[in-house]
């Protein structure tokens, strides 16, 4: 008698970007597509060209002016947007958040902390070399 082998789904690694995906950031698509030990779920605030860089799991967090998230954000400052991000992370069962670029990490940090999910950040150039020279960004990065 053969016992079926139970394979479990790989854990979710949330990939957080502001926009999915400008052509100049094709390397992010390559990194996300190469994941094997984690199932990548991409969270973005906006879509640049949805068909150009497809991924199996793409979630658009609509945080634009006039949306429900925007109303919440206005009522409670950044809390509304953080709650939207938290719900998204919890809803997909994320075990890790990978923020692509420093500003994206600053945005998702509170939600990751509230969900008690580790945050990993990749800096790719401008976000570290130029923004880190600005005292406001240096403080935000701390």
């Amino acid at each position: 008698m053969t016992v079926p082998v139970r394979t479990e789904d790989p854990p979710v690694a949330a990939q957080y970007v502001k926009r999915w995906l400008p052509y100049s950031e094709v390397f992010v698509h390559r990194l996300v597509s190469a994941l094997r030990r984690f199932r990548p779920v991409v969270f973005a605030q906006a879509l640049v060209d949805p068909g150009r860089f497809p991924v199996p799991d793409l979630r658009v967090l609509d945080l634009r002016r006039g949306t429900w998230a925007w109303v919440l954000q206005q009522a409670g400052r950044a809390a509304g947007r953080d709650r939207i991000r938290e719900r998204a992370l919890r809803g997909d069962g994320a075990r890790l958040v990978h923020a692509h670029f420093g500003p994206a990490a600053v945005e998702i940090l509170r939600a990751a902390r509230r969900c008690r999910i580790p945050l990993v950040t990749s800096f790719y150039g401008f976000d570290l070399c130029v923004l880190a020279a600005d005292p406001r960004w240096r403080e935000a990065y701390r």
Side-chain angles (χ1 to χ4, degrees):
M1 180 170 150
T2 306
V3 178
V5 177
R6 183 177 174 190
T7 58
E8 294 189 20
D9 292 333
V12 170
Q15 307 294 308
Y16 187 73
V17 294
K18 287 182 161 238
R19 300 173 306 150
W20 186 261
L21 192 67
Y23 193 73
S24 61
E25 297 173 10
V26 65
F27 58 90
V28 175
H29 181 258
R30 288 186 184 132
L31 291 168
V32 169
S33 297
L35 288 175
R36 297 292 175 257
R37 292 179 54 198
F38 286 89
R39 180 173 66 93
V41 176
V42 176
F43 294 92
Q45 290 184 36
L47 296 178
V48 173
D49 184 358
R52 182 178 278 167
F53 299 111
V55 289
D57 294 303
L58 176 62
R59 313 283 188 264
V60 179
L61 306 175
D62 197 357
L63 303 174
R64 292 172 294 147
R65 183 179 182 90
T67 62
W68 179 243
W70 180 82
V71 171
L72 286 174
Q73 190 250 351
Q74 295 306 304
R77 305 259 172 189
R81 288 183 178 199
D82 288 341
R83 286 191 186 103
I84 297 293
R85 291 179 185 113
E86 284 174 44
R87 275 189 238 132
L89 292 174
R90 286 191 176 118
D92 275 293
R95 301 273 305 274
L96 170 81
V97 179
H98 181 186
H100 295 273
F101 299 98
V106 171
E107 288 180 358
I108 196 78
L109 177 61
R110 259 187 251 152
R113 280 184 176 162
R114 289 178 58 104
C115 292
R116 296 187 172 152
I117 301 171
L119 171 65
V120 176
T121 306
S122 291
F123 293 86
Y124 297 110
F126 178 83
D127 54 335
L128 185 61
C129 298
V130 176
L131 293 182
D134 181 328
R136 292 172 297 187
W137 278 105
R138 227 183 355 253
E139 182 60 30
Y141 285 173
R142 273 194 196 102

